[in-house]
């Protein structure tokens, strides 16, 4: 059972990236987490891809844009981020005086990993007259090399906010990039990165599923590959997809994104049916292995011992903040 002090906890985190101690199984973790939130003036921000228990105890659940906006404006002393590393890092970049906690530092992102800053810097040098728009799913190092950040909910507006003759590099997601090229008619240079979860969907299996559920609408995240997006009735960020299912008249949906979002869809529309789009193998690979590293136990431990904490080099933070600020400013202009 838990026998830690703050010092031991920090040492444990430096070895494994999270607190690997057994939690008393009789503890009511929901009540304990609520208590810790009050005691420490902490806010718990969670992404829709987190496990249902974490979503249920969160103060705010949202997409990447909503989470960044909440992190920027909060007055809490501690931001507990139930999401992946680039999201918690963005919170720290935007609100550096707060302590930002991530339950497991190993919660990375295959998309962010697909763009190492050194390689990207060399790539960028080949296009000196291009502006760089980077998807928020990237490291602070990539953000620092970018002119504007975007998320899936504002990407189209961000691209269109630039003059038509402005040459653009889009990184790191080639699928979102290709979708934006199609939507905006802009010919952008794309970095060759992708999300392991959104590339797993099987067109063949989704088509067969649709034959068995002819009234179901297919909804997809723009990180999916083009053949999946082509057959989708609606494409949007996680918040966009959730809102669509709340206002649309259909009662059945095939959902091509990470399965965590189904929890809120089902909660908001209990009378509707949501079917996870099948992946191209037999495992549940449309669960993000990074997002799902966070558990209720790790969340409780990280709040109790205030570690793992996100720390950043100040120069890197300032360089990474500029393009995020630009994104937030443009988003505000469009009421996003
Ligand atoms: P959004 O929630 O911003 O749509 O992003 C999805 C995603 O892949 C986050 O990692
Ligand atoms: Fe990264 Fe994809 Fe997981 Fe989102 S779902 S955190 S893009 S690996």
């Amino acid at each position: 059972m838990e026998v830690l002090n703050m010092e031991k906890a920090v040492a444990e985190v430096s070895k494994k990236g999270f607190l690997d101690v057994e939690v008393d199984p009789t503890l009511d973790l929901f009540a304990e987490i609520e208590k810790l939130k009050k005691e420490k003036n902490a806010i718990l921000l969670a992404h829709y891809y987190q496990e249902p228990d974490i979503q249920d105890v969160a103060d705010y659940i949202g997409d990447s844009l909503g989470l960044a906006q909440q992190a920027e404006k909060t007055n809490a002393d501690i931001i507990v981020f139930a999401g992946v590393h680039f999201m918690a890092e963005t919170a720290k970049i935007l609100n550096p005086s707060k302590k930002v906690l991530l339950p497991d530092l190993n919660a990375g992102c295959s998309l962010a990993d697909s763009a190492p800053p050194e390689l990207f810097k060399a790539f960028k040098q080949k296009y000196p007259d291009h502006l760089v728009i980077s998807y928020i799913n990237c490291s602070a190092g990539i953000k620092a090399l970018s002119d504007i950040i975007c998320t899936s909910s504002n990407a189209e507006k961000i691209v269109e906010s630039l003059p038509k003759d402005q040459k653009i590099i889009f990184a790191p997601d080639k699928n979102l990039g290709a979708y934006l090229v199609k939507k905006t008619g802009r010919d952008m240079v794309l970095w060759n990165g992708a999300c392991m979860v959104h590339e797993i969907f099987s067109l063949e299996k989704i088509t067969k599923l649709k034959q068995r559920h002819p009234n179901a609408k297919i909804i997809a995240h723009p990180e999916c590959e083009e053949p999946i997006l082509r057959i989708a009735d609606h494409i949007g960020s996680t918040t966009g997809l959730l809102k669509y299912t709340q206002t649309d008249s259909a009662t059945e949906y095939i959902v091509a994104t990470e399965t965590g979002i189904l929890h809120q869809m089902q909660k908001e529309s209990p009378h509707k049916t949501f079917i996870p789009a099948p992946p191209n193998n037999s495992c549940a690979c449309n669960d993000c292995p990074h997002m799902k590293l966070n558990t209720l136990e790790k969340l409780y431990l990280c709040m109790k011992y205030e570690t793992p904490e996100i720390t950043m080099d100040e120069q890197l933070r300032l360089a990474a903040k500029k393009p995020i600020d630009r994104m937030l400013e443009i988003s505000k202009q469009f009421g996003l």
Side-chain angles (χ1 to χ4, degrees), residues 47 49 63-64 86-87 135 137 152 221 223 237-238 291:
H47 188 266
Y49 296 165
D63 66 4
S64 307
F86 77 82
M87 296 177 168
Y135 190 35
N137 299 36
S152 49
H221 194 279
E223 286 174 25
S237 76
T238 49
M291 287 279 183

Side-chain angles (χ1 to χ4, degrees), residues 5-20:
N5 58 35
M6 295 284 192
E7 254 169 56
K8 270 194 188 163
V10 171
E12 173 79 14
V13 163
S14 71
K15 278 188 273 165
K16 294 195 171 172
F18 66 99
L19 289 172
D20 188 13

Side-chain angles (χ1 to χ4, degrees), residues 4-239:
L4 277 181
N5 58 35
M6 295 284 192
E7 254 169 56
K8 270 194 188 163
V10 171
E12 173 79 14
V13 163
S14 71
K15 278 188 273 165
K16 294 195 171 172
F18 66 99
L19 289 172
D20 188 13
V21 286
E22 207 182 319
V23 176
D24 177 354
T26 63
L27 262 188
D28 177 349
L29 290 181
F30 292 96
E32 292 298 321
I33 289 170
E34 288 301 345
K35 206 159 78 184
L36 287 167
K37 277 199 244 174
K38 284 196 191 87
E39 269 172 32
K40 297 180 184 243
N41 188 26
I43 185 171
L44 174 53
L45 306 180
H47 188 266
Y48 290 117
Y49 296 165
Q50 292 296 287
E51 61 174 51
D53 280 351
I54 294 182
Q55 292 188 37
D56 288 346
V57 77
D59 297 301
Y60 175 86
I61 317 163
D63 66 4
S64 307
L65 178 63
L67 288 164
Q69 289 165 330
Q70 292 292 324
E72 188 194 31
K73 73 177 185 198
T74 186
N75 292 320
D77 294 317
I78 298 180
I79 300 172
V80 188
F81 217 111
V84 290
H85 192 274
F86 77 82
M87 296 177 168
E89 191 174 62
T90 302
K92 186 69 185 174
I93 292 168
L94 288 169
N95 211 338
S97 65
K98 310 297 178 190
K99 187 177 255 190
V100 178
L101 305 175
L102 180 66
D104 189 334
L105 287 179
N106 303 303
C109 167
S110 68
L111 190 44
D113 290 346
S114 70
E118 276 318 306
L119 289 184
F120 185 70
K121 197 174 172 186
F123 176 79
K124 184 183 153 176
Q125 275 162 3
K126 290 196 274 179
Y127 305 96
D129 52 351
H130 286 53
L131 271 187
V132 177
I133 302 181
S134 292
Y135 190 35
I136 198 163
N137 299 36
C138 64
S139 64
I142 294 292
K143 289 185 174 80
L145 292 167
S146 306
D147 297 289
I148 317 181
I149 298 304
C150 73
T151 73
S152 49
S153 57
N154 60 21
E156 210 178 316
K157 296 265 189 284
I158 300 266
V159 172
E160 282 173 343
S161 73
L162 296 177
K164 286 222 168 341
D165 57 350
Q166 175 61 59
K167 293 177 182 166
I168 301 169
I169 294 175
F170 187 85
D173 187 5
K174 65 174 179 194
N175 294 319
L176 174 61
Y179 170 70
L180 292 168
V181 167
K182 199 168 158 187
K183 281 289 270 190
T184 63
R186 307 284 287 255
D187 184 22
M188 304 191 291
V189 174
L190 307 181
W191 176 264
N192 187 16
C195 158
M196 61 195 284
V197 178
H198 289 88
E199 284 213 315
I200 206 87
F201 297 113
S202 159
L203 180 62
E204 196 188 325
K205 287 188 192 168
I206 295 177
T207 309
K208 280 190 185 146
L209 190 62
K210 171 81 179 170
Q211 281 163 1
R212 290 201 301 277
H213 299 265
N215 296 324
K217 282 195 175 160
I218 299 171
I219 56 173
H221 194 279
E223 286 174 25
C224 292
E225 291 178 311
E226 198 274 335
I228 305 294
L229 297 180
R230 205 180 325 136
I231 59 163
D233 296 288
H234 184 75
I235 297 166
S237 76
T238 49
T239 298

Side-chain angles (χ1 to χ4, degrees), residues 210-272:
K210 171 81 179 170
Q211 281 163 1
R212 290 201 301 277
H213 299 265
N215 296 324
K217 282 195 175 160
I218 299 171
I219 56 173
H221 194 279
E223 286 174 25
C224 292
E225 291 178 311
E226 198 274 335
I228 305 294
L229 297 180
R230 205 180 325 136
I231 59 163
D233 296 288
H234 184 75
I235 297 166
S237 76
T238 49
T239 298
L241 296 178
L242 175 62
K243 281 190 182 155
Y244 180 75
T245 60
Q246 288 172 268
T247 51
D248 179 61
S249 59
T251 55
E252 234 183 336
Y253 299 88
I254 296 168
V255 185
T257 191
E258 214 270 358
T259 54
I261 187 77
L262 269 70
H263 181 57
Q264 289 306 317
M265 287 178 173
Q266 201 66 75
K267 261 177 118 171
E268 294 294 339
S269 308
H271 58 292
K272 295 191 176 188

